[in-house]
Amino acid sequence: MSGDGGPRADVSGSFAVDVPVFQGPFRLLADLILEQKVDVCDVPVATVTDLYLSHAKDVDAWNLEEATWFLAICAVLLELKVARLTPRHVEPDEEDLLGGSPDLAYARSLELRAFRKVAVELARRLEDEAAYFTRDVGPGPEFSHLYPDPMEKVAAAELATLAAQLLRPPPTLDLTHVTPIRFTVADAITAVEARIQAIAGRPASFRELVADCEDRMHVVVRFLALLELYRDGRIELQQAATFGEIEVEWRG
């Protein structure tokens, strides 16, 4: 053990420490702490950090990998030490609750005796009632004349009104606000292929490809068809300027 308690280099040149509970490579000390062979509370992390800073001032001893490992292991050691030093919530046992008082112990014994009596009584009642079963049948047919007639106050007009309400067809759902699907992307792809092939030898403009569209939705579907063809690599799209004309070239 060194006399001044400072840092020293071991035979491999790595950082070594000299603390009251350990003398040797810091890596070995970290392994012993993680294996719970050395108590982390006995290791002064601040002192070890100061020793390493003194060790790192030497340019020849500086190593990025070792510095990174040192920071990581010190963070783990600090977390372990804080966990050890932080008070833990411990559930009080029977002795803590009674506090060694004979009066409290006698009162607790009376409570336990009362609970035992109640438990025995409940077990006896459950055993006695196990032979009883509930009756799940109604009165016999000889008592049928005592039943009230459910149709006694029901008139034919009331039945007709009820039947009319039940058999009335449901109201027609208004779908005028929903745009009907009259054009599909598959049909638009077929139309685009036909128009591009009809214009042989030159690129076709988007305006030419939608010249036969009837409304705006038809144009949108035709544009989606162009995007599908471009994704498959069957066409090439070019636009010279922003919001300019889109040129479509067939690739096949």
Side-chain angles (χ1 to χ4, degrees):
M1 180 179 295
S2 61
D4 57 354
R8 61 185 182 86
D10 62 0
V11 293
S12 62
S14 62
F15 174 59
V17 294
D18 186 359
V19 293
V21 296
F22 179 80
Q23 177 183 356
F26 181 67
R27 287 179 178 266
L28 178 59
L29 174 60
D31 293 337
L32 293 176
I33 293 175
L34 295 178
E35 294 175 2
Q36 298 183 356
K37 295 181 179 179
V38 174
D39 193 351
V40 68
C41 294
D42 296 336
V43 178
V45 180
T47 303
V48 174
T49 304
D50 293 337
L51 295 177
Y52 182 78
L53 291 178
S54 301
H55 169 72
K57 289 180 180 179
D58 186 2
V59 179
D60 298 334
W62 171 257
N63 183 281
L64 179 59
E65 180 181 358
E66 185 182 65
T68 305
W69 181 87
F70 179 80
L71 292 176
I73 200 64
C74 278
V76 175
L77 296 181
L78 284 175
E79 184 177 0
L80 292 175
K81 198 164 188 177
V82 169
R84 287 286 306 276
L85 296 178
T86 303
R88 299 181 180 180
H89 176 71
V90 180
E91 293 293 336
D93 54 9
E94 186 74 15
E95 185 176 355
D96 295 334
L97 293 176
L98 296 179
S101 173
D103 295 335
L104 292 178
Y106 179 70
R108 179 58 58 87
S109 65
L110 294 180
E111 294 178 358
L112 293 177
R113 186 182 305 174
F115 277 107
R116 292 193 185 97
K117 289 183 178 180
V118 172
V120 171
E121 180 64 19
L122 289 177
R124 184 190 65 79
R125 292 191 180 186
L126 290 176
E127 183 179 0
D128 294 343
E129 300 294 336
Y132 292 89
F133 300 92
T134 58
R135 180 181 176 90
D136 55 357
V137 296
E142 63 273 12
F143 301 104
S144 60
H145 65 282
L146 300 177
Y147 298 161
D149 186 6
M151 304 298 294
E152 180 179 2
K153 298 182 179 180
V154 178
E158 295 178 350
L159 289 177
T161 302
L162 182 60
Q165 294 177 355
L166 296 176
L167 300 177
R168 182 184 300 117
T172 304
L173 184 62
D174 184 15
L175 298 178
T176 56
H177 62 286
V178 179
T179 302
I181 302 176
R182 298 191 300 267
F183 316 103
T184 63
V185 176
D187 296 339
I189 291 176
T190 303
V192 168
E193 292 178 350
R195 294 185 69 85
I196 292 179
Q197 293 175 2
I199 308 175
R202 66 178 180 84
S205 65
F206 180 70
R207 194 180 304 275
E208 293 175 340
L209 296 178
V210 298
D212 61 331
C213 294
E214 301 175 358
D215 53 20
R216 182 178 300 176
M217 182 58 63
H218 198 178
V219 175
V220 172
V221 175
R222 191 68 59 88
F223 181 72
L224 294 177
L226 289 178
L227 295 180
E228 289 288 335
L229 292 173
Y230 178 77
R231 185 190 64 178
D232 296 339
R234 301 168 64 182
I235 63 172
E236 184 69 25
L237 300 177
Q238 295 181 0
Q239 190 176 27
T242 306
F243 302 113
E245 188 66 43
I246 300 177
E247 298 292 335
V248 182
E249 184 177 357
W250 179 256
R251 294 295 186 185

